[in-house]
Amino acid sequence: MKASIEKALNEQINAELYSAYLYKSMEMYLHSADLPGMANWMKVQTQEELAHAEGLIQFVNLRGGRVKLTAIEMPKNDWKTAAEVFSDAYDHEAKVVTVKINKLVDLAIKEKDHAFNQFLQWYVAEQVEEEDNTSTLARKLKKIGDHTPGLMQLDSQLAARIFTAPVIPGTTVGGP
Ligand SMILES: [Fe+2]
Ligand SMILES: [Fe+2]
């Protein structure tokens, strides 16, 4: 694989690991705020981000590239409310991750690497879902505001989220 693509993929692996780290930090805040269901939702989100990183790692290896891990930035550790947490999660997905994924597609097109472009399409579609999930929860929490019963009800709903590994084509992530 081209050096420019290998470099960009290594950066994206770091970005996915940072996302996992950020959501783990959000989980810890929600746990401390006595919102175990929302903490569970973030725990599952962390697992998803690790699966995204693993998919990229396997793609680099498959194409004969070399994965080199770098420092992961320190995440934010404190928030004022659960609404703020989910609003930050939405901003992270929409303003940071989606932009990065789209830039990778631009690079694949520029370098005429069709296999890379095809591989990325799963990530493009995944971002639509990630943005929808986080924006829906951010909007719900904004509506709930300080209403404790509403907060408790949403918290118990989010306790039901379980991790199912995403199936990333071309990798063993989510596969047998
Ligand atoms: Fe991700
Ligand atoms: Fe994500």
Side-chain angles (χ1 to χ4, degrees):
M1 77 188 340
K2 279 200 173 160
S4 61
I5 293 176
E6 183 183 68
K7 183 173 175 276
L9 277 163
N10 268 287
E11 284 167 9
Q12 190 61 33
I13 290 163
N14 182 280
E16 299 290 350
L17 293 173
Y18 171 74
S19 294
Y21 212 32
L22 175 64
Y23 294 141
K24 195 57 158 178
S25 184
M26 290 176 172
E27 178 196 335
M28 294 302 101
Y29 164 78
L30 292 163
H31 173 78
S32 75
D34 292 318
L35 293 164
M38 293 185 199
N40 171 68
W41 195 94
M42 281 300 171
K43 183 179 190 159
V44 172
Q45 195 61 25
T46 297
Q47 289 172 293
E48 283 207 359
E49 298 305 335
L50 293 174
H52 297 166
E54 181 60 25
L56 294 161
I57 287 166
Q58 288 189 19
F59 183 73
V60 174
N61 288 339
L62 186 68
R63 299 286 299 279
R66 173 73 160 94
V67 173
K68 286 187 182 167
L69 301 176
T70 53
I72 302 167
E73 195 191 320
M74 182 178 150
K76 182 171 168 179
N77 277 298
D78 278 302
W79 289 266
K80 288 190 193 78
T81 59
E84 194 185 50
V85 170
F86 281 87
S87 156
D88 271 12
Y90 171 70
D91 282 351
H92 178 66
E93 291 296 338
K95 295 179 188 164
V96 180
V97 186
T98 300
V99 172
K100 284 184 192 291
I101 297 291
N102 288 343
K103 279 187 181 155
L104 290 176
V105 176
D106 291 344
L107 179 66
I109 292 166
K110 183 174 155 256
E111 300 290 0
K112 298 186 167 66
D113 189 332
H114 299 292
F116 181 32
N117 190 1
Q118 188 185 40
F119 171 75
L120 287 171
Q121 294 311 307
W122 182 86
Y123 286 83
V124 171
E126 173 70 7
Q127 280 315 114
V128 176
E129 208 179 296
E130 296 274 56
E131 286 186 28
D132 180 49
N133 288 341
T134 49
S135 82
T136 300
L137 290 172
R139 278 185 284 109
K140 274 187 189 169
L141 279 160
K142 206 177 165 193
K143 254 183 225 161
I144 290 169
D146 289 337
H147 187 248
T148 305
L151 207 58
M152 291 298 116
Q153 199 194 345
L154 183 61
D155 189 65
S156 57
Q157 274 172 26
L158 298 186
R161 188 183 190 195
I162 47 163
F163 176 65
T164 24
V167 179
I168 306 177
T171 76
T172 63
V173 176

